[in-house]
Amino acid sequence: MAAAEIKKRKSSDIESVISGYRIVDLRELGRNLKCLACGTVLSLENIVSEKLLGLHSVLSVKCHPCGIITPVATGRTDGRFADINKVIVLGAIHSGAGCVTVNKILATTDIPGLPPPTHKRYERIVGPSAGLEVRVVIGNEDSSTMASAHAAATGMKIFKLADKNHLVKKFGKELYELAKVHKELGRKGVIDHIEKELQLRRDAE
């Protein structure tokens, strides 16, 4: 069999195991490409499988001389968390991008994405180093929810975001409370007119 044909077949075998691009630490990858049994420098043409851990990969590479399969990490870790996942999530935090945006960019470049649970886990790891102290609660105007959030986040700033529909409903309730003091608001149709105006402004935004 011609050498060119053998090389083509090996390339086809690798593509059946791994497709697309990867972000790797070249120095770390080069350091790890050694057989654990005989010390032979391994070839990426002999990859038999890949384990994806976010953007970090662990390749199973077969040694040609001795046949032993060695796990080869494509980047650095601290034993639990991969550096590449940390920096991509930290970059997302600083740029204001979310997990969906990050994965859209990665998909465009044919790089495997970062699963949402993994992204969230790394946010908890790198968040403090990014100086994040502000927290946002998105709710439905439930005061008990906000009370629980304040109790659980001692020393943190808590901001509440509510959708437009809940704000309009809350505003209407407060108008009826004000009508008990201000008789002008209690006149027929006044509060209904104000609520309709508010809804029109809401829908126009």
Side-chain angles (χ1 to χ4, degrees):
M1 187 180 293
E5 188 177 345
I6 293 174
K7 189 172 183 179
K8 184 177 179 181
R9 179 172 292 183
K10 282 188 174 182
S11 177
S12 177
D13 290 342
I14 293 171
E15 288 176 2
S16 67
V17 175
I18 297 177
S19 61
Y21 296 96
R22 299 292 184 273
I23 301 173
V24 303
D25 181 330
L26 290 175
R27 183 174 295 178
E28 186 69 15
L29 178 61
R31 187 183 296 119
N32 295 335
L33 276 171
K34 291 181 182 179
C35 178
L36 291 176
C38 67
T40 299
V41 175
L42 300 171
S43 171
L44 292 177
E45 291 185 335
N46 296 324
I47 298 172
V48 295
S49 65
E50 176 190 27
K51 182 178 182 181
L52 283 170
L53 303 167
L55 297 181
H56 179 76
S57 292
V58 178
L59 309 172
S60 294
V61 184
K62 187 176 182 179
C63 177
H64 182 67
C66 72
I68 296 297
I69 294 176
T70 297
V72 176
T74 58
R76 290 173 294 178
T77 73
D78 61 7
R80 292 183 60 197
F81 301 101
D83 286 9
I84 182 59
N85 292 335
K86 289 180 183 178
V87 296
I88 199 74
V89 171
L90 185 61
I93 291 172
H94 281 304
S95 64
C99 182
V100 173
T101 301
V102 169
N103 281 331
K104 283 182 179 179
I105 296 171
L106 293 172
T108 302
T109 55
D110 201 14
I111 296 173
L114 199 62
T118 302
H119 193 280
K120 283 290 183 187
R121 186 166 69 252
Y122 276 85
E123 276 185 336
R124 291 194 291 270
I125 298 301
V126 303
S129 65
L132 297 182
E133 295 182 355
V134 178
R135 296 291 183 268
V136 176
V137 176
I138 300 176
N140 60 355
E141 297 303 316
D142 182 6
S143 59
S144 62
T145 300
M146 283 304 295
S148 299
H150 280 293
T154 305
M156 288 185 179
K157 293 180 180 179
I158 300 291
F159 293 89
K160 178 173 66 173
L161 299 182
D163 63 59
K164 294 175 182 179
N165 289 329
H166 282 104
L167 286 176
V168 170
K169 290 179 181 178
K170 183 181 179 183
F171 186 69
K173 289 180 181 179
E174 291 180 350
L175 284 176
Y176 281 106
E177 288 297 318
L178 287 172
K180 296 176 182 179
V181 180
H182 302 281
K183 295 182 179 180
E184 296 83 359
L185 287 173
R187 293 176 183 173
K188 186 177 180 180
V190 171
I191 291 179
D192 288 341
H193 176 73
I194 294 174
E195 286 183 323
K196 286 180 182 178
E197 286 293 323
L198 185 60
Q199 288 171 354
L200 288 172
R201 290 179 179 273
R202 175 203 64 188
D203 295 339
E205 293 181 354

